[in-house]
Amino acid sequence: MASREQFSSKAGFVMAAAGSAIGLGNIWGFPTQTASNGGAAFVLVYFVLAFLLAYPALMAELIIGRHARANVVTALRSISTGPLTYKLASLAGFSGLIVASLILSFYAIVAGWMISYLIASVSDMLGWQGASSWLTSDSFQRNVIFLAIFMMLTMGIIAKGVAGGIEKWSTRLMPMLLILMVGLIIYVLMQEGAEEGLRIYLLPDLSQIKPALVLDAMGQAFFSLSLGVGTMLIYGSYLSEQESLPRLGAIVTVVDASIAFIAGLLIVPAIYVAKYYGADIFTAGGELIAGPDLIFQILPVLFDSMGGVGAIVAFAFFLLMSIASLTSSISMLEVPVSYATEESGASRGLATAIIGLTIFVISTVILMNFEALFGLVIDLTTVYSQPLLGVMLCVFVGWIWHRDNVLKEIKKGHGDIESTLFWKIWPGYVKFFCPVLILATFIQSIIG
Ligand code: PHE
């Protein structure tokens, strides 16, 4: 067998894993969920859950992945201990593949919108009115074309492999993302109206902490850290044995949560600046508009009100969104592609083409039945499947895989792990605390 690909360095892994984690979930999902869920109360719950639930689950994925050095299906099977757990491994593994592909199928639609608005900002600068209005028209034709463009970008990177594709592009794009974001924040915070947004974002209204908020925050945390579907598992499988997994996992969690928080400093004030300029930011029911209308109606009011610089700010904003989407979408596609190449022996190029095309077709079906399918697929994959699959992965590490073997794997790259707080807490944590808490949150929200 040819030797398996790896990330070339620790920094390469951090860029790729942070690139996967940081996406529309951070820059759009987190700020808007915060703004519509009682502001800083949501931030608080989110942070607690990110470290209490999502980080331990992330560790489970990284450890299984690096140990098995294989895709999610094969990896889970390799730590199963009998026919029953083997079946469970297949079930969880294949569910992961399917959910990752379905997440990509709606994510690519949204990312396509970002690219079309990005190009519209350029045609605005050039004064091409007709082009701009088509690019922002929300027609089926426009949606399919930009979906195809985005899928081709994603497939182009994945076809190049781990070091030459995923790592190379994450390392190029992530610093750009950070620069764009900081620049935009500075600009927006200097605008009239930004202060009101900041206040809403940062002052908690603790009376808002209800079961539904906790479930939302949990789903958001799992989505944001790309958990449950085998993404982090496969990235872990490309990591060298010299690296300390608990440390790298902690870095990725902190970076992801920080970027979500920082994105809130951009988006929430921007909403209130737009309000200052006359945008209607509330629905008829008095709730803050949080869905696609926020990005594609409210923020454009803001850009238009800025005069000449508006097109430049819009360009920077939609470039930021496009980059964030791309470094995440590649990690979704890698999940089924790694399975196909490792199990069928197909070349990476061929596997990428077939799977990418299949996902494109699914996305097109969603576009054709947008009202019925779009929200449904999002809820099914992110609110339910991701946390439940996260429970499965915790069960594999906590109950099925032998504790000595888990220890042996974490010891690689972290020789003194047994004497650390991590090893005192984490094993019992993934075994009892995580599954119980995740399931309890579900049950609570269903009966609550
Ligand atoms: N974490 C990504 C985001 O926040 C989404 C994602 C989910 C990526 C699942 C990979 C797998 O946008």
Side-chain angles (χ1 to χ4, degrees), residues 399-446:
W399 296 90
I400 297 171
W401 198 8
H402 204 282
R403 189 177 156 119
D404 292 345
N405 294 333
V406 179
L407 179 61
K408 220 193 282 163
E409 183 56 45
I410 321 187
K411 259 190 167 166
K412 295 175 191 158
H414 206 134
D416 60 351
I417 192 77
E418 273 167 295
S419 61
T420 61
L421 194 64
F422 179 84
W423 185 251
K424 296 203 173 79
I425 297 176
W426 179 79
Y429 214 84
V430 273
K431 191 165 185 165
F432 301 106
F433 188 76
C434 288
V436 169
L437 210 68
I438 296 171
L439 292 176
T441 310
F442 265 111
I443 295 168
Q444 257 259 307
S445 75
I446 291 166

Side-chain angles (χ1 to χ4, degrees), residues 20-21 23-26 103 107 223-224 226 229 231 328 331-332 386:
S20 167
L24 297 174
N26 301 60
I103 291 177
Y107 208 82
F223 183 70
S224 190
S226 313
V229 294
T231 304
S328 297
S331 72
M332 298 168 200
Q386 277 193 285

Side-chain angles (χ1 to χ4, degrees), residues 288-372:
L288 203 72
I289 294 175
D293 281 355
L294 167 72
I295 305 282
F296 303 112
Q297 309 230 324
I298 296 181
L299 295 185
V301 171
L302 174 64
F303 303 140
D304 288 346
S305 68
M306 292 173 175
V309 284
I312 299 170
V313 178
F315 180 82
F317 177 75
F318 288 111
L319 186 61
L320 169 73
M321 294 299 232
S322 304
I323 290 175
S325 308
L326 190 59
T327 52
S328 297
S329 65
I330 53 178
S331 72
M332 298 168 200
L333 186 56
E334 181 63 13
V335 175
V337 166
S338 61
Y339 172 76
T341 51
E342 289 173 359
E343 290 307 296
S344 74
S347 72
R348 187 169 258 278
L350 183 68
T352 306
I354 294 176
I355 296 169
L357 212 65
T358 310
I359 293 173
F360 171 75
V361 171
I362 299 174
S363 303
T364 309
V365 172
I366 296 178
L367 276 175
M368 291 193 300
N369 304 280
F370 195 80
E371 292 299 316

Side-chain angles (χ1 to χ4, degrees), residues 145-341:
I145 290 174
F146 284 93
L147 162 68
I149 292 175
F150 183 77
M151 279 307 293
M152 279 188 305
L153 290 174
T154 304
M155 289 157 69
I157 295 177
I158 286 302
K160 292 262 183 251
V162 179
I166 297 173
E167 178 176 348
K168 184 164 148 196
W169 281 97
S170 303
T171 310
R172 280 183 185 164
L173 295 174
M174 292 312 284
M176 264 174 84
L177 176 134
L178 204 62
I179 293 170
L180 284 170
M181 187 138 98
V182 171
L184 281 165
I185 290 175
I186 293 173
Y187 186 80
V188 165
L189 287 183
M190 288 185 331
Q191 307 299 307
E192 214 59 67
E195 213 189 302
E196 187 184 356
L198 259 191
R199 213 171 311 122
I200 305 248
Y201 183 55
L202 296 176
L203 296 181
D205 173 2
L206 296 179
S207 68
Q208 298 268 357
I209 301 183
K210 301 184 185 107
L213 181 148
V214 180
L215 184 73
D216 278 353
M218 185 173 78
Q220 177 64 30
F222 273 80
F223 183 70
S224 190
L225 268 177
S226 313
L227 294 180
V229 294
T231 304
M232 288 300 181
L233 188 151
I234 192 70
Y235 276 17
S237 82
Y238 300 135
L239 243 173
S240 126
E241 295 190 338
Q242 265 111 53
E243 309 301 347
S244 155
L245 294 178
R247 206 167 291 144
L248 287 182
I251 293 176
V252 172
T253 309
V254 170
V255 169
D256 181 58
S258 312
I259 295 285
F261 180 74
I262 294 173
L265 296 176
L266 168 65
I267 302 293
V268 185
I271 299 174
Y272 283 83
V273 177
K275 177 178 165 229
Y276 176 83
Y277 282 109
D280 216 351
I281 66 169
F282 298 103
T283 61
E287 280 173 18
L288 203 72
I289 294 175
D293 281 355
L294 167 72
I295 305 282
F296 303 112
Q297 309 230 324
I298 296 181
L299 295 185
V301 171
L302 174 64
F303 303 140
D304 288 346
S305 68
M306 292 173 175
V309 284
I312 299 170
V313 178
F315 180 82
F317 177 75
F318 288 111
L319 186 61
L320 169 73
M321 294 299 232
S322 304
I323 290 175
S325 308
L326 190 59
T327 52
S328 297
S329 65
I330 53 178
S331 72
M332 298 168 200
L333 186 56
E334 181 63 13
V335 175
V337 166
S338 61
Y339 172 76
T341 51

